[in-house]
Amino acid sequence: MHTLPQQLANGLFLGSMYGLIAIGYTMVYGIVQLINFAHGEIFMTGAFGALTVWNCLPDGMNIWAALPLMLIGGAIVSVLIAVGAERFAYRPLRGAPRLAPLITAIGLSLALQQAIFVWYPGADNAKDFPQLGTHPYHLGSIAIQRNDIFLVAAAVVCMVGLAAFVRTSRTGRAMQATAQDPDTAQLMGIDTNRIIVIAFAIGGLFAAVAGVAFGLKYGQITYNMGFQAGLKAFTAAVLGGIGNIYGAMLGGLVLGIAEACATAYIANIPGMHQLGGQGWANVWAFVLLIVVLLVRPQGLLGERVADRA
Amino acid sequence: MRHRSLLLLTTVLTTGALTLTACGSRSDDGKKSGDDGSSGTGSNITLTIGVDAPLTGQNSATGLGLQYGTQIAVDDANSKKLVPGVTFKVKALDDKALPATGQQNATALVQDSNVIATVGPLNSGVAESMQQVFATANMVEISPANTNPDLTQGKDWASGKKVRPFKTYFRTATTDANQGGFAADYAYNTLKKKNVFVVDDKQAYGAGLAAIFKGKFASLGGKIAGTDHVNTGDTDYSALVTKIKQSHADMLYYGGQYDESELITKQLKAGGVNIPLMGGDGMYSDTYIKTAGKAATGDLATSVGVPVSTLPAAQNFIKAYKAKGYPGDYGTYGGYSYDAATAIINAVKTVMDANGGKLPAMNDARAKLVDAVQKTDFDGIAGHVSFDQYGDTTNKQLTVYQVKNGAWTAVKSGVYSG
Amino acid sequence: MTALLEVEDLRVAYGKIEAVKGISFSVEAGQVVTLIGTNGAGKTTTLRTLSGLLKPIGGRVTFDGKVLSRIPPHKIVSLGLAHSPEGRHIFPRLTIEQNLLLGAFLRRDSAGITRDVERAYELFPILGERRKQAAGTLSGGEQQMLAMGRALMSQPKLLMLDEPSMGLSPIMMQKIMSTIVELRSQGTTILLVEQNAQAALSLADHAHVMEIGTIKLSGTGQDLLHDEGVRKTYLGED
């Protein structure tokens, strides 16, 4: 078990990424009760947006200098797609039966994947993504990548920023009001359409940050990377209590750590050899989800919806 | 019974998947029509050779090698008029490395009354889903890439009970029984590795190869430091890397494709585990080095045959491939694809010669082609081409490659003999 | 002079079912006007249409000289029309103070907002004592006070109260009604929807009786209070 600290760190890094993506699912759900299944692709297009910026920058440019520009580029792409999807795909269906926007989201997800696949040069294979170096720092027995430090730092900054925004800003208060009672929020003078757009935009922004972090961490991005990541992030959002922003982050971390520990330790349990390892990690992640939902159908932080928005 | 219901299912699914296949074959259409123009001179019949391989997405770098290797063989046959009165053309379908898609493609190919035989697929797992379709239609299928022994020798081959399941299935690549053993032998005796961690991707090819390697390596006296499986499409291997690190393995053997192994080797080296990753022909691809970058240095892969570039007979093929600017890697299976297509073309000639220079009705022609291909015997560009009683190639050459200075370099060639 | 609120031939439908079938009435500045009637008479539908939550299928609403049709609800608030909805609809997971501040969402004068929050606490001292408490923990009557206080925070020209006494104990109802009297004495214009006709009529300048989507009877509060038909049907007297 002396690898436990390292495995926890592995899970923490992976979980931070799930959490960043999960915010987008949970914010949109919290405000319009819509599962935006195209969110995984918004994450993917953010990564491609950042890569495009990198490719347009002069060769040999320092990656640290390029990073802010890449983040901005990715954020612009993701936010535009997220807001565009809301405006042109979901808003016309508001008030329609629940299934209609859901199917639309799935269709949009496929369309975005195929669009990148067909039109982004060379995207039918993995595209190389720059990294912040690949030599790890050592913290006791734990090896930590610079790319992972960026990921965790970005997740912390984003979460703290979002929490402060929701708690203290006027728009944040309007988001909480809209989440709790959209009709009455309008009676307060809140333009709920604007709040919904902002929720999509924040989700897109976080997805872009996650997309850049993904590229840095793995050194490559693919047109279909949003599928699995999106599914995991959605799981994280449900695990943490969908609609709750802290739940999304917590759910991501729990899921990431569960996967790492399932990969590492399940096979060591006597009689479980066949059911352990990375190949079964996803299965255990979903077992965890089912167990949590059996005990707490509202998710881990489901009762703290007071802060949701 | 199981196969019949599979076929039924396929028919139903084909409709639904039409859109997907249409997307997948997008890139071939342009190329194909261009090639047709230069060769369509004869006033006689046109025969189609089908190709099935992953042409987009996962594994497509090597998959495209199958398509264009076949294309060059067809171009050569047409320009040399190997079969007088017959113009050959290629119909390439994209299976995306998915068994279900491969089966749909197989159904489409046997239903096309112009298709005489098929080259492909790339993946053993895909082949499993296609074999029955071709066998039912009596159509020859020659894979230049499948290495899983089950495909030709049945599920119980390891226990010595070899039974050929389908007489329409042939391959120009040798099997993993040889490849896995060859790799284990090289790792233990040449590299002096004693403690190997074995990982596979749970697919027919990867799991089969890893199991053969593991068995052979252990029987040589080596220790298996640990085993694990991954899912195709996974991107995060950090937990696995930590496990490997803890096991103090001196090598990682991976049964699977380059799509996963390039990420594994990157994360392995980044995690401070500086041991080589060794794999089979599924990761012998330039894409592996390109994507993994420096992390790939020192990694090893076995592949079937000897390096195409060292074969004198293959020089024109390589020239043609480069001159046409075809995408994909010809290095691994391009030569074998060329030979597979040529075996089909030669067999067409045999069938026509026996029928007074005319091609029999398509159903009959396909059936007669099975016997003609079984009797194949010629020197191809990648070595001698003939098939044993299981449909396996008699050419059992294998090579170990290692990444040196950013390129696969052959370090040992030979024939594995148990 | 023109009335503050002018409703002419207003018609509202849910799908094919017409809930309000062409009603007309007006509210003058400084007046308390009440709509009374049984459940399903169309009173709440009328208020929800006035504040923009529902779109009318016909008729015309003029408020402070502006025609309201096609103006979204959040803009209507900024014209000075506040709506305290039926069932109170406070934001349960926000604090009392946050609820009040949301009532002043469109205002930018932070000094004025602070002053008005204090005024709301003076009007309803219990709210001041619990200002940091989640609004969902309040009793029904306290929630009603909060809903009214919140509606006042937008400094409305017209305050619409929908069933403020619903579900309250007699003591609490008394409190709410006396607050309305107090607001009226301060000059606040109020459009009051009530099922408790006795209470509503006794403090209204004008009253309208609604029945299945139409206005059956209009008059001063005192007139209707003494109308025999009204007494029979709405005040429970034989």
Side-chain angles (χ1 to χ4, degrees):
Chain A
M1 287 297 264
H2 65 279
T3 56
L4 188 61
Q6 177 75 60
Q7 292 294 14
L8 290 178
N10 292 339
L12 177 77
F13 302 141
L14 189 59
S16 300
M17 182 144 56
Y18 292 159
L20 274 176
I21 308 171
I23 295 284
Y25 283 104
T26 225
M27 296 243 321
V28 166
Y29 183 86
I31 290 183
V32 272
Q33 281 76 50
L34 163 76
I35 309 278
N36 179 14
F37 268 120
H39 189 63
E41 276 58 47
I42 289 168
F43 154 76
M44 178 270 292
T45 50
F48 275 89
L51 182 63
T52 309
V53 170
W54 170 255
N55 288 337
C56 291
L57 291 170
D59 280 352
M61 181 158 175
N62 185 296
I63 170 78
W64 288 102
L67 200 50
L69 296 173
M70 292 166 67
L71 283 167
I72 292 169
I76 290 174
V77 173
S78 285
V79 170
L80 280 183
I81 290 179
V83 169
E86 193 280 323
R87 183 65 191 82
F88 299 108
Y90 301 140
R91 192 181 297 179
L93 293 173
R94 215 174 288 151
R98 283 275 179 101
L99 221 46
L102 189 70
I103 301 286
T104 305
I106 292 170
L108 189 63
S109 152
L110 287 172
L112 285 170
Q113 261 191 39
Q114 292 301 318
I116 292 289
F117 178 82
V118 173
W119 287 310
Y120 198 92
D124 49 356
N125 263 304
K127 295 285 290 176
D128 284 349
F129 201 93
Q131 290 187 284
L132 305 169
T134 49
H135 288 290
Y137 296 117
H138 289 277
L139 187 78
S141 65
I142 311 176
I144 302 173
Q145 294 290 326
R146 269 168 248 218
N147 306 300
D148 290 330
I149 295 173
F150 169 82
L151 171 56
V152 171
V156 169
V157 168
C158 284
M159 261 326 279
V160 170
L162 180 64
F165 174 76
V166 169
R167 276 175 185 283
T168 61
S169 77
R170 189 168 164 271
T171 307
R173 240 182 301 124
M175 296 187 99
Q176 297 183 63
T178 308
Q180 291 180 25
D181 192 333
D183 269 4
T184 309
Q186 294 191 63
L187 295 180
M188 302 297 110
I190 295 166
D191 182 353
T192 48
N193 273 332
R194 188 175 141 265
I195 297 301
I196 291 166
V197 167
I198 290 171
F200 272 88
I202 292 176
L205 178 71
F206 280 37
V209 173
V212 172
F214 181 99
L216 293 171
K217 184 166 166 59
Y218 302 119
Q220 64 184 68
I221 56 176
T222 57
Y223 74 97
N224 58 3
M225 67 193 242
F227 177 73
Q228 208 182 51
L231 200 62
K232 291 290 179 58
F234 174 63
T235 307
V238 175
L239 188 64
I242 192 151
N244 182 312
I245 54 173
Y246 306 100
M249 220 357 129
L250 178 70
L253 295 180
V254 169
L255 192 66
I257 289 170
E259 279 183 28
C261 290
T263 301
Y265 303 120
I266 295 271
N268 298 345
I269 301 170
M272 299 285 273
H273 182 72
Q274 290 301 318
L275 304 178
Q278 170 134 6
W280 280 79
N282 290 344
V283 176
W284 289 112
F286 284 102
V287 167
L288 175 75
L289 176 73
I290 291 165
V291 169
V292 167
L293 291 187
L294 281 176
V295 181
R296 279 185 70 82
Q298 72 274 42
L300 291 173
L301 294 189
E303 68 172 13
R304 285 196 64 203
V305 273
D307 304 310
R308 80 180 200 181
Chain B
M1 204 53 213
R2 181 178 143 264
H3 289 298
R4 207 188 307 157
S5 54
L6 269 178
L7 265 175
L8 256 171
L9 186 67
T10 311
T11 330
V12 176
L13 284 177
T14 314
T15 337
L18 273 177
T19 11
L20 288 173
T21 9
C23 291
S25 48
R26 137 202 83 91
S27 59
D28 349 314
D29 296 338
K31 288 259 161 45
K32 220 162 53 192
S33 56
D35 295 327
D36 282 349
S38 62
S39 57
T41 48
S43 58
N44 304 309
I45 58 167
T46 303
L47 278 181
T48 305
I49 295 179
V51 171
D52 174 274
L55 305 178
T56 59
Q58 292 226 327
N59 310 159
S60 62
T62 40
L64 287 166
L66 265 66
Q67 180 187 348
Y68 294 111
T70 306
Q71 183 69 54
I72 293 171
V74 162
D75 291 347
D76 284 356
N78 288 339
S79 66
K80 289 182 197 157
K81 304 218 183 318
L82 275 188
V83 186
V86 178
T87 304
F88 290 96
K89 59 181 240 184
V90 173
K91 176 176 181 172
L93 300 182
D94 180 10
D95 63 29
K96 297 174 190 296
L98 298 173
T101 313
Q103 197 176 63
Q104 289 153 18
N105 292 348
T107 311
L109 288 168
V110 301
Q111 281 168 357
D112 184 335
S113 58
N114 254 324
V115 177
I116 182 77
T118 294
V119 176
L122 174 72
N123 308 75
S124 294
V126 178
E128 277 181 354
S129 77
M130 302 173 79
Q131 283 181 316
Q132 179 67 53
V133 181
F134 286 118
T136 308
N138 259 325
M139 188 192 276
V140 166
E141 173 195 15
I142 308 181
S143 170
N146 295 156
T147 48
N148 189 309
D150 297 3
L151 296 172
T152 46
Q153 300 168 16
K155 296 274 179 216
D156 301 319
W157 65 270
S159 60
K161 259 177 61 191
K162 295 184 185 179
V163 182
R164 181 178 185 177
F166 301 102
K167 69 178 175 51
T168 47
Y169 178 88
F170 301 87
R171 59 175 143 203
T172 49
T174 192
T175 68
D176 293 333
N178 297 325
Q179 184 176 197
F182 194 66
D185 185 63
Y186 187 82
Y188 190 82
N189 290 320
T190 309
L191 295 174
K192 309 288 183 205
K193 299 293 183 191
K194 299 294 177 259
N195 194 23
V196 174
F197 200 101
V198 180
V199 175
D200 69 63
D201 65 359
K202 300 193 288 190
Q203 304 297 304
Y205 160 77
L209 180 61
I212 294 159
F213 175 90
K214 205 167 75 177
K216 183 67 190 174
F217 191 76
S219 76
L220 286 171
K223 190 174 156 248
I224 302 302
T227 57
D228 205 343
H229 314 277
V230 300
N231 307 303
T232 55
D234 278 354
T235 43
D236 193 283
Y237 301 97
S238 51
L240 176 63
V241 164
T242 306
K243 249 166 98 175
I244 296 169
K245 187 176 190 176
Q246 184 201 7
S247 75
H248 301 292
D250 53 13
M251 191 180 96
L252 169 63
Y253 189 83
Y254 180 72
Q257 308 286 347
Y258 64 82
D259 303 87
E260 284 77 30
S261 63
E262 63 197 17
L263 278 162
I264 294 174
T265 199
K266 249 198 287 196
Q267 293 176 29
L268 193 67
K269 311 295 161 66
V273 190
N274 287 308
I275 59 174
L277 185 154
M278 187 179 201
D281 52 332
M283 56 175 269
Y284 174 59
S285 158
D286 289 342
T287 309
Y288 177 79
I289 301 175
K290 195 180 140 284
T291 314
K294 267 188 288 183
T297 304
D299 287 354
L300 304 119
T302 49
S303 190
V304 292
V306 293
V308 168
S309 54
T310 66
L311 293 165
Q315 296 313 309
N316 282 336
F317 166 77
I318 296 170
K319 238 182 272 167
Y321 204 104
K322 286 183 175 160
K324 297 248 187 187
Y326 287 144
D329 292 338
Y330 60 81
T332 328
Y333 309 115
Y336 280 133
S337 304
Y338 185 99
D339 286 348
T342 307
I344 291 168
I345 291 163
N346 288 343
V348 169
K349 186 169 189 321
T350 310
V351 169
M352 286 174 67
D353 285 350
N355 193 39
K358 287 207 319 246
L359 191 75
M362 185 46 86
N363 276 345
D364 196 22
R366 283 178 180 175
K368 286 189 165 134
L369 200 75
V370 178
D371 298 326
V373 167
Q374 183 66 55
K375 290 178 188 130
T376 294
D377 192 0
F378 69 100
D379 282 315
I381 62 169
H384 190 78
V385 183
S386 61
F387 300 105
D388 65 13
Q389 71 266 39
Y390 303 107
D392 280 328
T393 178
T394 53
N395 176 359
K396 302 205 187 314
Q397 285 278 343
L398 287 154
T399 302
V400 180
Y401 297 86
Q402 188 165 30
V403 181
K404 292 179 177 170
N405 300 320
W408 288 112
T409 313
V411 291
K412 184 189 177 187
S413 284
V415 174
Y416 179 68
S417 47
Chain C
M1 70 169 261
T2 52
L4 178 61
L5 177 73
E6 193 78 54
V7 177
E8 297 161 78
D9 195 26
L10 183 69
R11 288 164 55 227
V12 192
Y14 298 99
K16 283 183 177 162
I17 300 157
E18 216 166 311
V20 174
K21 303 169 180 170
I23 60 168
S24 303
F25 66 94
S26 61
V27 180
E28 306 275 345
Q31 279 188 336
V32 172
V33 173
T34 183
L35 301 178
I36 59 171
T38 51
N39 256 339
K43 309 182 302 287
T44 294
T45 303
T46 304
L47 291 200
R48 286 175 69 82
T49 309
L50 294 181
S51 60
L53 292 174
L54 296 173
K55 299 278 165 250
I57 56 166
R60 186 179 152 97
V61 177
T62 320
F63 178 71
D64 202 17
K66 293 195 182 62
V67 177
L68 290 192
S69 50
R70 308 219 174 276
I71 299 182
H74 65 273
K75 294 252 170 70
I76 289 179
V77 183
S78 67
L79 297 177
L81 187 62
H83 180 176
S84 170
E86 180 186 16
R88 307 181 281 269
H89 284 273
I90 45 107
F91 299 106
R93 297 181 290 269
L94 295 179
T95 66
I96 288 158
E97 188 146 312
Q98 285 170 328
N99 267 275
L100 290 175
L101 290 173
L102 275 166
F105 186 73
L106 293 173
R107 292 170 60 184
R108 299 285 185 173
D109 57 325
S110 54
I113 292 172
T114 317
R115 193 189 61 233
D116 284 356
V117 169
E118 289 309 321
R119 259 189 52 197
Y121 292 155
E122 276 165 33
L123 199 57
F124 306 111
I126 185 81
L127 298 184
E129 287 164 28
R130 304 189 177 174
R131 59 183 74 185
K132 297 292 175 202
Q133 204 169 309
T137 62
L138 295 177
S139 75
E142 291 160 354
Q143 289 190 12
Q144 185 57 53
M145 294 174 185
L146 178 58
M148 285 170 67
R150 186 182 62 180
L152 286 168
M153 286 298 293
S154 65
Q155 295 180 313
K157 296 182 182 128
L158 173 64
L159 174 63
M160 301 197 294
L161 299 173
D162 195 349
E163 305 276 12
S165 73
M166 190 170 68
L168 299 189
S169 66
I171 299 170
M172 208 38 110
M173 192 183 327
Q174 201 54 51
K175 232 177 190 167
I176 295 291
M177 286 304 161
S178 62
T179 309
I180 295 174
V181 172
E182 192 177 337
L183 290 174
R184 176 189 165 193
S185 68
Q186 291 169 7
T188 311
T189 311
I190 295 172
L191 176 58
L192 173 68
V193 160
E194 258 299 340
Q195 281 193 61
N196 183 344
Q198 173 85 47
L201 291 176
S202 57
L203 55 80
D205 297 305
H206 270 278
H208 306 278
V209 180
M210 284 190 78
E211 247 172 51
I212 40 177
T214 56
I215 290 181
K216 266 270 141 73
L217 200 60
S218 299
T220 65
Q222 292 304 315
D223 285 350
L224 292 189
L225 201 53
H226 299 108
D227 182 279
E228 201 160 317
V230 172
R231 295 189 69 85
K232 248 191 188 155
T233 319
Y234 300 104
L235 304 180
E237 292 180 11
D238 293 306

